[in-house]
Amino acid sequence: MSIVMAQITGYTREQMHELFHQYLMEKFEGDVSEVNVFVDTAEDVLPFTLNEHFGTGYASIYDLQDENEIESLRKKIKAHPVLKNIDRREEPRYTEVLKWYRLFVKSLQKETAPVLVPGEEEFSTKVADNPEPPVAHNDADYAPDAEGLEHQYNLTKKERNPELRRKCIEYYKHLWGGRIHCICCGFDFGKAYGDIGEGYIEIHHVNPHHTFEGVHMVDPAHDLIPLCSNCHSMIHRVPGQGECMTLKELKEHYKGIKYND
């Protein structure tokens, strides 16, 4: 079943993970903590839950790529005598995660070819030009292992002010001659994707939400910066939930293409 499903979009599970994360980052306006909880629920909780209660055989949520089947499972959860009660008290709700996953799958199936993230095209060319023999390995390194341990999440979401996002984008557009791009690598969604990417960018909070108590003032010109999806993910790739490195540190790590050079 998983082989058939993988052919629908042509993506590997690793690529599906990255694309699903990027999709949610866009829809949740860069809220890394919330995105991580949704992705964790989709990957670590839902396959086990669906297999346990409905007899499915998903090794990964990414084996499930049929929109109608995803919607059917959402309805089954709502009608199930046990799961419907669990779903009401879970955060995020299983049905909510499946809703976003279905929309993600729908968006992928509109693509005619896999989407390469910035830097992948250059890397794939180098690999093709310089083939190397496969590295010998022990089959035990890739032996099946157990997963599917159930976790319960309680999520309190701090509201973001969309007006601050707009002001930040307008501020940097004013600085950069009317265009908006990643302040680290220079990636411009409009130039890369045309009309659907025009004006799009993710906004990063220099000082994470969890460092403040309650309502607080945010300066869109100094407390927020525009980052592409890749750089936004990497700036949070430090130990500690919700933590992040500085822009200076991110730029020191970045070794990829400088799109605005």
Side-chain angles (χ1 to χ4, degrees), residues 43-107:
E43 294 181 346
D44 299 336
V45 178
L46 278 176
F48 174 82
T49 301
L50 297 175
N51 294 344
E52 179 76 10
H53 292 278
F54 303 128
T56 53
Y58 302 121
S60 164
I61 191 64
Y62 303 121
D63 292 341
L64 177 57
Q65 294 185 20
D66 184 285
E67 289 183 59
N68 293 329
E69 187 169 0
I70 297 170
E71 183 60 26
S72 174
L73 289 168
R74 287 185 71 242
K75 292 179 179 178
K76 286 182 178 180
I77 290 176
K78 290 182 177 181
H80 194 277
V82 175
L83 280 183
K84 67 180 180 181
N85 293 321
I86 297 176
D87 187 50
R88 287 175 186 148
R89 65 174 183 264
E90 285 298 309
E91 189 63 54
R93 298 181 63 176
Y94 299 159
T95 49
E96 183 74 4
V97 175
L98 283 174
K99 180 195 78 171
W100 282 109
Y101 181 67
R102 182 182 66 81
L103 293 173
F104 160 68
V105 169
K106 183 177 181 180
S107 72

Side-chain angles (χ1 to χ4, degrees), residues 223-237:
D223 298 330
L224 306 176
I225 55 173
L227 291 173
C228 70
S229 306
N230 284 352
C231 289
H232 200 178
S233 295
M234 290 300 102
I235 203 169
H236 285 277
R237 196 169 174 79

Side-chain angles (χ1 to χ4, degrees), residues 3-220:
I3 296 177
V4 176
M5 289 301 176
Q7 293 175 345
I8 292 179
T9 61
Y11 294 104
T12 66
R13 288 178 183 172
E14 291 74 17
Q15 289 172 324
M16 290 285 284
H17 165 81
E18 294 297 330
L19 291 169
F20 187 38
H21 188 277
Q22 290 183 17
Y23 178 84
L24 292 179
M25 285 288 287
E26 176 182 343
K27 298 302 180 182
F28 295 171
E29 297 188 347
D31 191 330
V32 176
S33 297
E34 185 170 10
V35 167
N36 286 343
V37 173
F38 268 72
V39 173
D40 287 347
T41 302
E43 294 181 346
D44 299 336
V45 178
L46 278 176
F48 174 82
T49 301
L50 297 175
N51 294 344
E52 179 76 10
H53 292 278
F54 303 128
T56 53
Y58 302 121
S60 164
I61 191 64
Y62 303 121
D63 292 341
L64 177 57
Q65 294 185 20
D66 184 285
E67 289 183 59
N68 293 329
E69 187 169 0
I70 297 170
E71 183 60 26
S72 174
L73 289 168
R74 287 185 71 242
K75 292 179 179 178
K76 286 182 178 180
I77 290 176
K78 290 182 177 181
H80 194 277
V82 175
L83 280 183
K84 67 180 180 181
N85 293 321
I86 297 176
D87 187 50
R88 287 175 186 148
R89 65 174 183 264
E90 285 298 309
E91 189 63 54
R93 298 181 63 176
Y94 299 159
T95 49
E96 183 74 4
V97 175
L98 283 174
K99 180 195 78 171
W100 282 109
Y101 181 67
R102 182 182 66 81
L103 293 173
F104 160 68
V105 169
K106 183 177 181 180
S107 72
L108 282 188
Q109 292 173 354
K110 290 181 180 178
E111 300 290 344
T112 57
V115 178
L116 296 179
V117 297
E120 276 191 340
E121 184 174 0
E122 180 188 31
F123 175 75
S124 62
T125 302
K126 289 180 180 178
V127 172
D129 292 341
N130 300 283
E132 296 180 359
V135 178
H137 64 271
N138 188 329
D139 287 343
D141 293 338
Y142 304 99
D145 205 342
E147 65 176 7
L149 184 66
E150 289 186 310
H151 297 276
Q152 291 188 353
Y153 297 94
N154 292 311
L155 179 67
T156 299
K157 180 182 177 182
K158 291 185 178 180
E159 289 189 356
R160 296 186 182 275
N161 184 349
E163 185 65 10
L164 285 170
R165 169 186 169 81
R166 184 193 65 77
K167 288 179 179 180
C168 176
I169 292 176
E170 289 304 314
Y171 171 75
Y172 280 96
K173 276 186 175 181
H174 177 73
L175 290 183
W176 296 335
R179 297 203 63 80
I180 188 70
H181 58 72
C182 176
I183 198 171
C184 178
C185 72
F187 185 77
D188 185 321
F189 282 90
K191 290 181 179 179
Y193 295 99
D195 291 344
I196 63 168
E198 198 63 47
Y200 175 76
I201 199 72
E202 293 182 7
I203 300 300
H204 170 68
H205 285 67
V206 175
N207 300 302
H209 269 303
H210 71 84
T211 60
F212 298 94
E213 290 291 337
V215 178
H216 57 277
M217 300 301 294
V218 176
D219 184 342

